[in-house]
Amino acid sequence: MMRQVYIVLPLLAICSAAFAQEWGGEIESVEIEIIKERQLTLPRANRAFDKVPPRPVEPIEPRLTYDFQPVNFEAKSFAPVLRPLRLKPEELTRLYGRTVSAGLGNYASPYLEASLSTKRNKDRFLAARFFHRSFGTGPVGGEKSASGQTEIAALASSFGKQVSGGGELHYVHTAVNFYGFPNLNAVAANTLAQNFNRVKLSGQFENTRKGDFNFDAGGSFGYLVDNFKAAESEAFIYANTQYKINATSAFLASADYVLIARRDENVDAKPRHLLRIRPVYQFVPVDKLTVQAGAQLAYENDTVGTGSNFHLYPHAHARYALAKRVEAFAQLSGNMERVSLHTLTAQNPWLAPNVPIFHTNKRIEVGGGLQGGSTRGLTWSLGVFSAALDHQYFFINDATGAKFDLNYFSKPVWRTNPFAEIGFAKDVRTQFKFRFDYFAYNSSSPGFVPWHLPQYRTEVLANILLYKKLLLQTSSTVLGGIRALENTSLRTVALPVAVDLNVKFDYLLSDRFTIFLKGENLLNSQYRLFLNYPVRGLQVLAGATYNF
C-alpha cells in the first residue's frame, strides 16, 4: 500500500524572523515540500476449518443420586363475591286501563263513553266499553226528530302457545223518529218512535304460531227486534284454512254458513239459508307474478226467480310486480252477498215493515288496477271494477213519504266503479287518506233509476299533530248525484250535493287529562241522503277525557 503525503508550509513569517536574528539580513521566500511514501505489507493468514474436539469428561465419584419428595399444597377455600354491574331498568310507558270521556253539545246532546281493560298481560286480554250519544232535538219538529244510540260491549281474548281465541258480547240500542212526513205537525209524537235493540254474541279461534298450515274459525249469533213487530235472528259460522305446499304455492279454502229467520206483521218466520264454499290454489307461474285460481259455490233458498238455488262463480286473482313497491292486479270473481234486516236497518233506520228481502247475486265482477307504496308510509291505488248484480235493492219512499220500501228491478244491474286512493301514515297522530269513487249504474229494465245511491263519493281523513299537545282530526265526505222517487207525484227528484265537514281538536293537559272540542257539519248544510230526511246543521260538542 503506497501513501504519499504532501505538506506545504508557508513559513515565510517565521523564517524571516529567525534569519533576521542570526544573520541580520532579509530572508528570501522559501517553499518547502515534504513527500513521504509508505507501503504496508501483511503476511498471508491460514484459516482453520477443523472443529474443536470436546474436552474429556472425568466421572464424578461418588455417584450423585436424586430423591424427589412429594410436596402437598392445600389452598384455603375461596368464595369470591361477584358483583355484576346493575343496569338501571328501562322505564315502561305508563298505560291506563280505564278511560272516561264526557261532553255536552247543542241539540241537547249529551255524550258519555267509558272503557276499561287489562294491561300488559301476554296470556289474556279483557275489556269492556260503554257509549252513549243522544240528541234531544233534530233538524225539523224539535223533539219529533230526536235520536240516540247506546252501546255496551265486553271482550275477552286468550293467547295460548298453540291456539288463541276470544269472544265478544255486544248490545246496541238505536232510537230514531219517522220525521219525514210532509205534514209533521199533524202527526202525534208517540207514533213516530222507532227503536232497534241488537244483541250479538261472537267468538273465534286461530293457531297462534303461523306455519305451513294455518286456520281461523268462529261464529256468531245475533238477534234484532224493533219497536213494532219485526224481529230477526241470525246464526253465522265460518272457517278459513291455508296450507303451504312449497315456497311458491299454497292451497286456500274458506266456507261460511248463515241461517236467518225473520218475522214481521205480515211475514212468517221462515228460515233463509246461505252456504258458500271457496277452494283456491295459489301459485307463482313466473317470476314476480302471483296467481289465485279457484271457484265459489253458493247455495241459497230465497224464493225469487225461477233459477237454481245453486250458484257457481269463478275466482281468479293475479298480482304482478312492475317495479319495487309497484304492482298491477286483476280480478275475476262472483259472490252471493248476504242481505238481512240487520244490514238494511243499519243503512236506513226508517225502513218500512214487511219489506221483501233477498240476497244480492253478484253474477260476475271483473276489474283491475295499480297499487304501490313507499317505505315512508305512502300508499296509493287506482283501478276500475264492473259487476253484474241480480236482486240489487234500492230504497224508495212509500206512500206516506216517511218510510222506505225496497225496490227490485227484473233485469241485472251493471255497476261500474272507477276509483283512486292515496294515503299516508307516519304514526297514529300523523295520518292522511283521500279516496274518490265514481259509480255508473245501467240496466235494461224499463224506468231504471238507482234510487238513493250516489253517483260519486269523495272521502278525506287526516290526523295532524299541530303541536306537541294539540291534535287535529278532520274528515270530509262529499256525495253527489243521488236521485229519489217523490212519493206523491212519482217524479224523479235530484237531491243536492251532500258535503259533510267535521273537525276535532284534542289538547293534552297531561298524560291523564285531555280536553276536546268537536264540530260536525261545519258548513251548516241540512243535506239529505234520503228524501224528506234532512240532517242536523252545525253540531258542536265540548268535553274532556280522563285516564286512570
Side-chain angles (χ1 to χ4, degrees):
M1 178 180 182
M2 184 69 66
R3 177 178 295 175
Q4 295 181 350
V5 178
Y6 299 90
I7 303 176
V8 179
L9 300 175
L11 303 177
L12 179 58
I14 300 175
C15 293
S16 300
F19 286 113
Q21 293 178 3
E22 186 175 355
W23 295 299
E26 294 182 0
I27 299 175
E28 299 178 356
S29 298
V30 178
E31 179 177 321
I32 300 173
E33 181 178 352
I34 300 173
I35 301 174
K36 184 178 180 180
E37 296 181 358
R38 187 179 181 183
Q39 182 176 2
L40 299 178
T41 304
L42 297 176
R44 187 178 185 83
N46 295 326
R47 302 181 64 182
F49 293 96
D50 295 335
K51 296 182 179 180
V52 178
R55 297 180 63 184
V57 179
E58 296 181 0
I60 301 175
E61 295 295 340
R63 188 178 181 85
L64 298 176
T65 59
Y66 300 92
D67 185 13
F68 299 96
Q69 298 293 333
V71 178
N72 295 328
F73 175 79
E74 293 183 1
K76 295 182 180 180
S77 60
F78 175 65
V81 179
L82 300 179
R83 295 181 178 180
L85 177 63
R86 294 184 177 181
L87 299 178
K88 185 178 181 180
E90 182 179 355
E91 295 184 1
L92 297 176
T93 304
R94 188 169 185 178
L95 297 179
Y96 300 99
R98 297 173 293 273
T99 300
V100 176
S101 184
L104 184 65
N106 58 338
Y107 290 99
S109 58
Y111 158 75
L112 177 62
E113 185 173 4
S115 64
L116 59 89
S117 64
T118 56
K119 301 181 294 184
R120 288 195 175 98
N121 192 319
K122 65 178 182 179
D123 296 324
R124 65 182 181 274
F125 178 76
L126 303 175
R129 175 177 178 265
F130 172 83
F131 171 84
H132 175 80
R133 180 77 189 276
S134 60
F135 296 88
T137 61
V140 294
E143 296 181 356
K144 291 186 176 181
S145 55
S147 64
Q149 182 165 306
T150 302
E151 297 183 30
I152 302 175
L155 171 69
S157 298
S158 176
F159 310 101
K161 295 183 178 180
Q162 302 298 329
V163 179
S164 299
E168 181 179 4
L169 178 61
H170 195 190
Y171 168 76
V172 180
H173 172 78
T174 305
V176 296
N177 283 330
F178 293 102
Y179 63 88
F181 289 96
N183 189 8
L184 182 60
N185 295 329
V187 182
N190 58 358
T191 63
L192 299 176
Q194 169 66 298
N195 299 322
F196 296 99
N197 291 284
R198 295 178 171 89
V199 180
K200 184 177 182 180
L201 177 64
S202 62
Q204 63 88 218
F205 63 94
E206 61 183 354
N207 57 317
T208 304
R209 297 182 179 179
K210 304 305 178 183
D212 292 340
F213 178 75
N214 302 311
F215 65 88
D216 173 25
S220 64
F221 177 80
Y223 185 76
L224 178 150
V225 60
D226 73 350
N227 201 36
F228 297 96
K229 296 183 178 181
E232 184 181 68
S233 61
E234 188 176 274
F236 175 70
I237 57 174
Y238 72 92
N240 301 313
T241 61
Q242 178 183 6
Y243 176 69
K244 183 179 179 181
I245 301 174
N246 52 46
T248 59
S249 61
F251 179 76
L252 298 83
S254 62
D256 60 69
Y257 170 75
V258 60
L259 173 63
I260 303 172
R262 166 189 166 232
R263 62 174 175 81
D264 209 331
E265 183 178 2
N266 298 325
V267 177
D268 296 331
K270 177 184 178 182
R272 299 172 60 212
H273 305 276
L274 175 59
L275 173 66
R276 297 178 295 189
I277 302 174
R278 187 177 67 185
V280 175
Y281 176 65
Q282 179 176 296
F283 60 101
V284 181
V286 296
D287 188 30
K288 300 181 181 181
L289 177 63
T290 303
V291 177
Q292 289 186 355
Q296 176 166 289
L297 175 66
Y299 170 78
E300 48 81 23
N301 67 334
D302 281 348
T303 55
V304 58
T306 58
S308 174
N309 292 336
F310 289 92
H311 307 271
L312 182 64
Y313 307 97
H315 179 86
H317 188 275
R319 293 182 290 108
Y320 183 76
L322 298 174
K324 189 177 181 179
R325 299 185 181 89
V326 178
E327 66 179 15
F329 62 90
Q331 177 178 312
L332 174 65
S333 63
N335 192 16
M336 182 65 68
E337 297 180 344
R338 178 175 56 179
V339 181
S340 64
L341 191 62
H342 282 77
T343 59
L344 292 172
T345 53
Q347 297 177 48
N348 186 345
W350 302 288
L351 196 66
N354 306 312
V355 295
I357 301 177
F358 307 105
H359 299 306
T360 299
N361 183 10
K362 186 190 293 182
R363 288 185 175 183
I364 191 171
E365 183 177 36
V366 60
L370 299 172
Q371 61 186 12
S374 69
T375 57
R376 298 187 177 183
L378 178 67
T379 60
W380 59 270
S381 64
L382 56 91
V384 59
F385 281 87
S386 184
L389 308 172
D390 275 347
H391 316 136
Q392 171 65 48
Y393 60 87
F394 300 93
F395 295 107
I396 60 172
N397 296 74
D398 67 359
T400 65
K403 300 180 182 180
F404 292 87
D405 286 326
L406 295 183
N407 176 249
Y408 299 89
F409 291 95
S410 58
K411 302 294 183 180
V413 175
W414 279 93
R415 180 186 63 201
T416 303
N417 172 213
F419 66 91
E421 180 177 343
I422 185 171
F424 174 77
K426 182 179 180 181
D427 50 40
V428 178
R429 297 183 176 182
T430 305
Q431 297 181 351
F432 173 80
K433 177 184 176 182
F434 170 84
R435 182 180 175 95
F436 175 78
D437 289 89
Y438 182 83
F439 302 96
Y441 295 91
N442 295 284
S443 178
S444 58
S445 297
F448 170 77
V449 176
W451 311 116
H452 285 107
L453 289 180
Q455 189 176 14
Y456 59 88
R457 178 179 61 203
T458 302
E459 295 179 330
V460 179
L461 303 173
N463 293 347
I464 304 173
L465 187 62
L466 299 177
Y467 179 65
K468 62 181 180 180
K469 292 186 177 182
L470 182 61
L471 176 64
L472 168 64
Q473 303 178 55
T474 179
S475 64
S476 176
T477 304
V478 179
L479 296 171
I482 301 176
R483 289 176 288 177
L485 181 65
E486 209 278 326
N487 60 302
T488 56
S489 62
L490 299 181
R491 60 184 180 88
T492 301
V493 178
L495 302 185
V497 176
V499 181
D500 187 21
L501 177 61
N502 308 311
V503 172
K504 181 183 179 184
F505 291 95
D506 290 283
Y507 186 78
L508 283 68
L509 297 176
S510 67
D511 57 348
R512 289 175 176 267
F513 197 71
T514 303
I515 58 175
F516 64 86
L517 179 64
K518 184 178 182 181
E520 298 176 288
N521 193 8
L522 295 181
L523 300 182
N524 196 27
S525 172
Q526 291 189 341
Y527 60 85
R528 294 170 295 170
L529 299 180
F530 295 97
L531 183 63
N532 300 331
Y533 280 91
V535 302
R536 293 179 180 88
L538 174 63
Q539 304 161 49
V540 179
L541 176 67
T545 301
Y546 182 69
N547 302 315
F548 60 99

